[in-house]
Every structure is written in C-alpha cells, then in structure tokens.
Amino acid sequence: MSLNEGDGQFVERDTVVRFNDVSFYFSDLPDDGGGEIEAAGAVNQVFTQLNLELPAGMLSVVGENGIGKSTLLMLAGARLIPTEGHVTVLGRDTRDFASAHERAELEEERNRLVSVIYQNMEFETDESIGTLLEAVAEMGNFGGSSDTFLAELRSALELDTVLDKRMQELSKGQLQRSIIAFSLLYGSQMVIMDEPVFALEQPQKERAFEYLLDYSRRSGTSIYYSAHDLDLTQKYSDKMLLLQKNDRPLIGKTSEIYTRDNLEHAFQAPLDTLYRRDYLYREMLMHTLKR
Ligand SMILES: Nc1ncnc2c1ncn2[C@@H]1O[C@H](COP(=O)(O)OP(=O)(O)O)[C@@H](O)[C@H]1O
Ligand SMILES: [Mg+2]
C-alpha cells in the first residue's frame, strides 16, 4: 500500500511501523493473568494478511467498535505478536520481543523503543503521583533536561493538584492525565495510546491533545492513538488510519482521509449516527473502567 499522500511513491524514511502479511487471531485460551494475550488457535481472526506502512507523526486510528483498533495498536506496540507475518517498529521485528514479559532486560529494551498506554490501566502502588513522576523522570531518556520537561508536563496536563495523591485517590480523568505524563516522560522512541482521554471533560481533552500534537511535532516523536471521539481524531492528528468494515484500510493525511464519503464507507453508516455512537461509546468506556 502506498502511503505518501497520493503520488503512489512510498517514502522509506517516513515509515515508522510496518505490517508485513500480518495475520492475527485471538485464541480461546484463558488469559494466564500475565496481562498479555497469547496468539494461538484460529478463534477470533482480527487481521488476515494485512500489509501497512505507517508514517511518522501524530497518527489517529479510526474505525468502528470491535474492528481491531486496539489489536492493531498493541501489535504496533510489540505488546501482541502476530500469529503470522511480521511487524517492525523503527526497523525492529517485534518477534524479538516475544519473551519480553519474562525477561526484564528485553522488556526494558522494548519499552525504550515503544511505550504503550492501554485502554484501562491499573497500578498497585502506595507512592504519590509526584514521587512516581520523579522516579520516571530519573529512569527516562531526558537526562539533565528531565526536570524542565517534568515541569512542562505538570503544567500542560494540569497535574499540580494531584502530586500529593496516590493512584487510588485519583479520579478517572486525573489518572489518565498522569499516565500520559508517565509515558512521555519515559521518552520512548515512539508512544502508543489506546483511548487515553475518554474520561476527561471535553475542554481538558482538547488541551491534552493540543499539547500532544505540539509535542509530537516539535520532538519528532511519533504518537499513534485511538479515540472514540471522531472530532478529536480529526483535529489532533497529522495522519489517519481508517479501518474499514468491508475493505482494506485507508491511510494518509488526515485532511484527505477524514471525509464524509470515506467515513460512511468505512463504518457502513450515515455520519450523523456515528456522532451519536461516540457519545454512547464513551458512556460504555466509563462504565468498564473499574474505579
Ligand atoms: N482478549 C481477546 N480475546 C478474544 N477476542 C478479542 C480479545 N480482545 C479483542 N477481541 C476481539 O477482537 C476484535 C477486535 O477488537 P479490538 O481490537 O478491541 O477492537 P476496537 O479497539 O476497534 O474496538 C473484536 O472482535 C473483539 O471482540
Ligand atoms: Mg479498542
């Protein structure tokens, strides 16, 4: 598939994540509790021989509920390994990280390459957010400028009022804002965010995403994300990947992909019903978040 804005030429240096003939099935094996899902028997086939070249920049992943946004992001983040085929992240085959969950060094190497915010994240710790932020700043990739960056994140993500609190004491929105700060402060080469702001109020979502877009552009860090809020995915992305119900994915500049025709074709539904679904989906997400 050609990527670069319609001229049919694929520009190698722009590709950050590549899917080569990727098939992915969820197995019916019960989750082993390790947090990672194993790909085994052909039970729920999410992708079949998918080929994609995903560009640098701020990329939103859009498509109807259940189509595979989270699965695709976890494959791109080396948290799921393809059943068949290969995913490479900045040239690195994610199969190299298949045993990351049992080898701390490998896990750290993977996390330096790509960090991931899961849709529902839970932590068990008694430390305050302020202490945790400082710890992440220390282990992160910003050396002497980590203090300045931490101050910037505290302000941009409105964290000053939560520094003395523990995870368990945070609202859903405060938790999500803290998690975004952790992920940027760690300084991985790229960052993946699956529904990172659904619990935030609208103006806060906008402010958080304004910051993320600006950060991605000036630092050159690619951020791939999904958000059920269609307006948000349009406003705050340079590129868009649109997963289609009965067709192969579309990818390109957001301004070219995000059209009424494309959306209605991808979702197989009229646009105005899609906006109503946005609202219902947020309600569902809020409900499933355990706090
Ligand atoms: N852990 C899992 N086990 C089995 N099937 C799953 C699992 N997670 C997701 N699926 C299925 O995979 C498909 C894609 O899901 P997902 O990637 O979560 O979609 P989206 O993020 O677009 O809503 C859906 O049919 C979903 O039911
Ligand atoms: Mg999802």
Side-chain angles (χ1 to χ4, degrees), residues 116-123 167 175 179 289 291:
V116 169
I117 297 181
Y118 298 87
Q119 192 164 298
N120 283 329
M121 274 183 127
E122 295 281 332
F123 296 90
M167 292 269 183
L175 179 65
I179 289 172
L289 190 61
R291 43 187 41 241

Side-chain angles (χ1 to χ4, degrees), residues 98-231:
S99 59
H101 56 289
E102 50 198 33
R103 290 175 51 201
E105 257 174 59
L106 194 61
E107 185 174 31
E108 188 183 338
E109 195 184 338
R110 181 196 66 183
N111 295 348
R112 297 262 174 219
L113 180 69
V114 49
S115 55
V116 169
I117 297 181
Y118 298 87
Q119 192 164 298
N120 283 329
M121 274 183 127
E122 295 281 332
F123 296 90
E124 278 174 35
T125 165
D126 284 330
E127 304 286 1
S128 70
I129 296 298
T131 307
L132 291 168
L133 282 168
E134 273 163 30
V136 176
E138 188 114 325
M139 71 171 93
N141 212 17
F142 293 95
S145 59
S146 64
D147 284 351
T148 319
F149 188 34
L150 175 50
E152 177 182 309
L153 288 168
R154 282 202 332 233
S155 150
L157 295 164
E158 301 162 50
L159 294 174
D160 283 331
T161 57
V162 305
L163 295 178
D164 293 333
K165 295 190 179 173
R166 296 177 307 144
M167 292 269 183
Q168 298 84 328
E169 298 164 335
L170 301 184
S171 71
K172 296 167 189 178
Q174 289 171 335
L175 179 65
Q176 287 189 324
R177 297 199 318 271
S178 306
I179 289 172
I180 292 172
F182 292 138
S183 75
L184 295 187
L185 200 50
Y186 188 67
S188 306
Q189 285 181 263
M190 76 168 298
V191 184
I192 285 182
M193 304 182 171
D194 192 11
E195 295 282 358
V197 296
F198 67 79
L200 273 55
E201 296 306 320
Q202 196 61 30
Q204 274 186 329
K205 275 188 200 176
E206 304 253 349
R207 287 198 295 272
F209 262 94
E210 231 159 76
Y211 177 75
L212 288 173
L213 184 60
D214 176 62
Y215 175 78
S216 171
R217 285 175 179 170
R218 70 189 147 85
S219 70
T221 308
S222 291
I223 299 178
Y224 292 3
Y225 71 93
S226 71
H228 66 281
D229 181 331
L230 282 175
D231 271 339

Side-chain angles (χ1 to χ4, degrees), residues 27-38 101-102:
S27 83
D28 59 350
L29 297 173
D31 196 298
D32 63 8
E36 314 234 358
I37 310 151
E38 298 211 330
H101 56 289
E102 50 198 33

Side-chain angles (χ1 to χ4, degrees), residues 65-66 69-71 119 194-195 226 281:
N65 193 15
K69 299 182 296 297
S70 297
T71 307
Q119 192 164 298
D194 192 11
E195 295 282 358
S226 71
Y281 190 57

